[in-house]
Amino acid sequence: MSTLPAPRFDRRGFLGAASLAAVSSTLSGRLPTRSARKLELLILGGTRFLGPAIVEAAVAAGHEVTLFNRGRSNPHLFPKLETLIGDRDPDVGEGLTALGGRRFDAVIDTSAFVPRIAAASAELLAPNCRHYALVSTVSVYGDMQAIGIDEDDAVGTLEDPATEVVDGVSYGPLKALAEQAVRATFPGVVTVVRPGLIVGPRDATDRFTYWPLRVAKGGEILAPGDGRDPVQYVDVRDLANFLLASVEREVAGTFNVVGPEVRSTMDELVHGCKAVTGGDARFTWVDAEFLAARGVAPWSHMPVWVPRGGGSAGIGEVSNRRALAAGLELSPLADTVRDTLAWTASLPEDHPRRELKALAPEREAELLAAWHAER
C-alpha cells in the first residue's frame, strides 16, 4: 500500500477565516455587495447549476434579472423573476422570438455550445445590448498536455467546423468557434470565461461531489495515482461572482477561471475533504497503471483526477494568473466541501444524487482487494 503523510494546511490556503463547525448558507456562499449601479441583465439559461449561482449573485447585487430558457429545468426556482420562454436554436419552435426588441445592459450566456446558436443570440441582441459575457471552457485549448496553458495559447480546431455534434472531440473546438462568433458581433465588449471543473452545491454529477461523499462515508478509500497529480476546480459561486463583477465593470477579455490559487494535488484534495468530514477515512493510493489495466478511467471513474504525463495532463495546471489579476477570488476548499455536503444532505432520502456513481462501492472493494493481493 502506498501512503503519503497528511498534508498541512494553513489558514489562508484551506481553512480561511471560516470555522469548520460553522454553518453557512449552502447555496449563496460569498455573495457580492450591492452594485453602485443597477443593471438590466439577461441570462440565457439560469436554472441548472451555474445559472442559479449567477442569478443569486445578481439579485443580491441589486440588478434586474430576466431569464430566457425553455422552461423545463427547475422552473420553480425564481418565481419572482421575469422568464422569457423560447429556444436557443432559432429554428426550433418560437426560437428567440421572445427576445426581439428587448433592451438589456448586458447578457450572460451560460448555454451556448455551437457557434450557429451563439451567433444567433448575439446578432439579435447586439443592437440593444452593450456587453456580452460568454461561459466557455478550458477544453478549447488544442494541446491539453501542455503545462501552464494561458489564454493566448492556440485553441483546437475541427475538420468539419460546420458540425453541430457535441462530443468529447468536438466540445472544446465548438466552444472556441462560439467565442469567435460572439466576438465578431460584439467587438471589444465581450467577456469570455473559461472554467475547468465547476464544483459545489447543485452539482448533480459525480465530477467532484464523489470525493466529499465518499470521504464522509469513511473506511478504506481507493485513491488514484500517488497523490502528487495536480488538480484544479472552481467553486460555482466564485465563478458566478467573477463573471458578474466583470459584467458590472464591463471588462472585455478572456480569462481562465480555475482554482485553487496555487498548485494543488490529489492528496491535498482528499485530505482536505477529511479535514471537513472527520471520521475514519484512510486512503490507499493505487497506481495509474494498475487502474488503467482494469478499465478504471481518470476523470470519470476517478473524478477530478488526471495522471500527470498523460495526454490531458495540463488540465490540472492551467494558468489562472490573468483572472486573479482581474479580481478572481477563490473560496477555501473547506467551504466548497462543507456546502456541497450540506446541499446533498438537504435532498430527499431517495434522491439519486445521494448515491455514488463514479466508482460503485462494490467495484471499489473489488479493486482494493486485487491491489492488496498483488502487494
Side-chain angles (χ1 to χ4, degrees):
M1 178 174 68
S2 175
T3 60
L4 287 171
R8 298 176 62 186
F9 301 97
D10 60 26
R11 292 183 65 81
R12 173 178 171 82
F14 178 69
L15 298 180
S19 165
L20 292 181
V23 177
S24 67
S25 170
T26 303
L27 298 180
S28 60
R30 184 178 63 246
L31 289 175
T33 57
R34 294 188 72 83
S35 175
R37 62 190 180 103
K38 182 177 180 179
L39 299 177
E40 293 185 9
L41 301 178
L42 171 67
I43 298 178
L44 303 178
T47 58
R48 288 194 175 182
F49 178 32
L50 173 58
I54 297 171
V55 171
E56 288 164 352
V59 170
H63 301 305
E64 183 176 330
V65 177
T66 299
L67 306 180
F68 176 83
N69 53 54
R70 294 177 296 179
R72 298 177 186 175
S73 300
N74 304 315
H76 62 282
L77 278 183
F78 303 110
K80 295 182 180 180
L81 299 183
E82 179 184 24
T83 298
L84 305 176
I85 302 300
D87 198 287
R88 293 298 309 273
D89 191 332
D91 298 330
V92 174
E94 295 297 318
L96 300 167
T97 302
L99 294 176
R102 293 295 300 266
R103 294 179 177 273
F104 301 95
D105 293 305
V107 56
I108 300 176
D109 188 343
T110 70
S111 55
F113 293 93
V114 297
R116 177 180 63 86
I117 289 177
S121 59
E123 290 167 2
L124 177 65
L125 293 164
N128 298 309
C129 182
R130 293 201 311 268
H131 194 89
Y132 202 107
L134 177 69
V135 179
S136 186
T137 171
V138 297
S139 296
V140 298
Y141 296 109
D143 181 8
M144 289 307 303
Q145 189 173 2
I147 305 302
I149 296 168
D150 69 21
E151 293 84 352
D152 296 325
D153 283 323
V155 299
T157 59
L158 293 168
E159 290 186 9
D160 177 15
T163 184
E164 295 192 355
V165 176
V166 181
D167 56 26
V169 174
S170 66
Y171 169 67
L174 283 173
K175 278 283 197 178
L177 290 172
E179 292 179 12
Q180 294 173 21
V182 171
R183 291 192 192 99
T185 308
F186 280 79
V189 290
V190 176
T191 301
V192 172
V193 294
R194 292 173 176 171
L197 182 62
I198 308 172
V199 306
R202 286 200 184 101
D203 182 6
T205 73
D206 268 353
R207 298 177 305 172
F208 170 89
T209 311
Y210 173 86
W211 291 111
L213 290 175
R214 178 63 189 91
V215 173
K217 288 181 64 176
E220 183 183 14
I221 297 174
L222 190 157
D226 60 6
R228 298 182 177 90
D229 295 311
V231 296
Q232 284 186 317
Y233 45 84
V234 62
D235 190 300
V236 64
R237 298 160 297 184
D238 297 338
L239 173 57
N241 289 340
F242 178 79
L243 188 55
L244 180 62
S246 299
V247 168
E248 290 174 340
R249 294 182 287 125
E250 297 186 359
V251 175
T254 302
F255 303 93
N256 294 331
V257 184
V258 295
E261 186 171 342
V262 297
R263 188 181 189 275
S264 186
T265 64
M266 196 69 199
D267 187 47
E268 291 172 320
L269 172 62
V270 297
H271 279 95
C273 291
K274 184 175 180 179
V276 175
T277 62
D280 66 346
R282 57 193 187 279
F283 305 104
T284 297
W285 295 94
V286 177
D287 67 47
E289 292 76 15
F290 177 93
L291 295 174
R294 288 156 181 79
V296 179
W299 199 260
S300 54
H301 300 123
M302 289 274 90
V304 187
W305 174 65
V306 175
R308 60 192 185 279
S312 299
I315 202 168
E317 297 190 73
V318 174
S319 172
N320 59 6
R321 289 192 297 272
R322 186 179 297 181
L324 291 172
L328 173 63
E329 296 184 14
L330 296 165
S331 299
L333 175 60
D335 289 358
T336 303
V337 171
R338 183 188 61 240
D339 292 349
T340 298
L341 287 170
W343 170 74
T344 305
S346 73
L347 299 174
E349 289 290 339
D350 60 350
H351 195 283
R353 173 61 272 147
R354 285 176 169 267
E355 300 177 6
L356 298 174
K357 296 185 178 66
L359 189 66
E362 299 79 11
R363 179 61 171 153
E364 181 189 29
E366 174 188 322
L367 290 165
L368 285 170
W371 174 256
H372 289 307
E374 291 190 10
R375 306 275 76 73

